[in-house]
Amino acid sequence: SQKIEQNSEALNIQEGKTATLTCNYTNYSPAYLQWYRQDPGRGPVFLLLIRENEKEKRKERLKVTFDTTLKQSLFHITASQPADSATYLCALGRKVYGGSQGNLIFGKGTKLSVKP
Amino acid sequence: SQTIHQWPATLVQPVGSPLSLECTVEGTSNPNLYWYRQAAGRGLQLLFYSVGIGQISSEVPQNLSASRPQDRQFILSSKKLLLSDSGFYLCATPRLSSYNEQFFGPGTRLTVL
């Protein structure tokens, strides 16, 4: 069956360091992969999307890589700040023809804590 | 701009009681709508999606049901709640500006006792 795993439930780092979160998947060939941020008691908020034919995507202090051979995505936050503390979810999307867009498969998330 | 309203924000219900959660969307017409559940220790799980009025697809068999009586209204229901129905329920729709992006509502925290 399809499986998506995020490397750890929690990650603690010091302010200013680079946070690296991992998302691995099996039995799946996604058309794209997304990362979301979720704060406690709130819905996830979209951060980045990377397609199967892209290796890297950047947005400000965020960087995402996508290796379809390794079936892995890495999510980096450089110069991390306490405000970056949140749970980060990865999600796989498949090619959809007509009808129902979406049907993303989400990982359980990694809770990032950035200490001052 | 797109807005999603969900109510209630929190709910505590006894086992065996009925459930009705409501989601309404503004700023878009004929949207695809989704119900997700996030249970403790588990990932975000897609429960139902709808591509139009009266059209519901179920992703996971369970004691929940969904209905779409109006274009921008999506309702999640149960006749008899189970303890395992506890969780954070999220309604979502694709972002107009980027269709692959899911735009989530504020969620409903359900606790079944």
Side-chain angles (χ1 to χ4, degrees):
Chain A
S1 62
Q2 300 159 353
K3 199 172 178 183
I4 179 169
E5 287 185 345
Q6 295 191 238
N7 61 323
S8 57
E9 286 189 15
L11 179 65
N12 299 311
I13 65 168
Q14 206 65 31
E15 183 177 8
K17 301 291 185 183
T18 295
T20 298
L21 285 65
T22 305
C23 178
N24 295 290
Y25 59 92
T26 56
N27 299 326
Y28 203 73
S29 295
Y32 56 89
L33 186 146
Q34 302 180 352
W35 285 89
Y36 289 77
R37 169 183 172 139
Q38 187 174 21
D39 291 289
R42 295 181 172 269
V45 174
F46 172 82
L47 295 174
L48 282 168
L49 178 151
I50 186 164
R51 300 189 183 281
E52 61 178 335
N53 59 348
E54 298 175 314
K55 294 215 178 292
E56 184 178 298
K57 207 78 165 286
R58 290 175 186 261
K59 179 181 175 183
E60 296 172 354
R61 294 184 296 112
L62 308 179
K63 184 178 86 170
V64 173
T65 62
F66 194 12
D67 188 325
T68 54
T69 302
L70 291 178
K71 295 187 183 292
Q72 182 182 77
S73 174
L74 299 178
F75 176 77
H76 306 274
I77 305 176
T78 58
S80 60
Q81 305 165 0
D84 295 325
S85 298
T87 296
Y88 292 86
L89 309 175
C90 70
L92 302 179
R94 54 192 175 203
K95 294 184 179 75
V96 177
Y97 303 98
S100 55
Q101 176 275 345
N103 298 39
L104 296 169
I105 298 177
F106 282 85
K108 293 182 183 180
T110 296
K111 185 176 181 180
L112 174 67
S113 296
V114 181
K115 304 297 183 186
Chain B
S1 63
Q2 285 174 291
T3 308
I4 298 178
H5 301 281
Q6 287 188 245
W7 64 88
T10 60
L11 192 59
V12 180
Q13 291 285 95
V15 169
S17 64
L19 173 74
S20 181
L21 303 182
E22 190 163 341
C23 167
T24 57
V25 180
E26 294 177 359
T28 182
S29 60
N30 195 30
N32 286 357
L33 296 174
Y34 301 81
W35 276 114
Y36 291 87
R37 178 172 62 200
Q38 196 171 35
R42 302 189 65 179
L44 204 55
Q45 181 185 33
L46 179 64
L47 303 175
F48 300 95
Y49 69 89
S50 170
V51 299
I53 295 174
Q55 300 179 65
I56 308 294
S57 295
S58 173
E59 288 288 302
V60 182
Q62 58 225 322
N63 69 319
L64 300 172
S65 62
S67 62
R68 188 164 174 180
Q70 300 181 44
D71 181 43
R72 285 170 278 183
Q73 185 184 32
F74 204 20
I75 296 173
L76 183 71
S77 305
S78 174
K79 291 182 180 177
K80 284 187 178 182
L81 284 168
L82 306 172
L83 285 174
S84 57
D85 291 324
S86 294
F88 192 42
Y89 288 81
L90 290 155
C91 180
T93 190
R95 178 76 79 175
L96 282 175
S97 57
S98 173
Y99 202 64
N100 289 320
E101 173 190 337
Q102 283 284 37
F103 176 61
F104 288 88
T108 294
R109 173 72 61 189
L110 172 66
T111 303
V112 182
L113 301 174

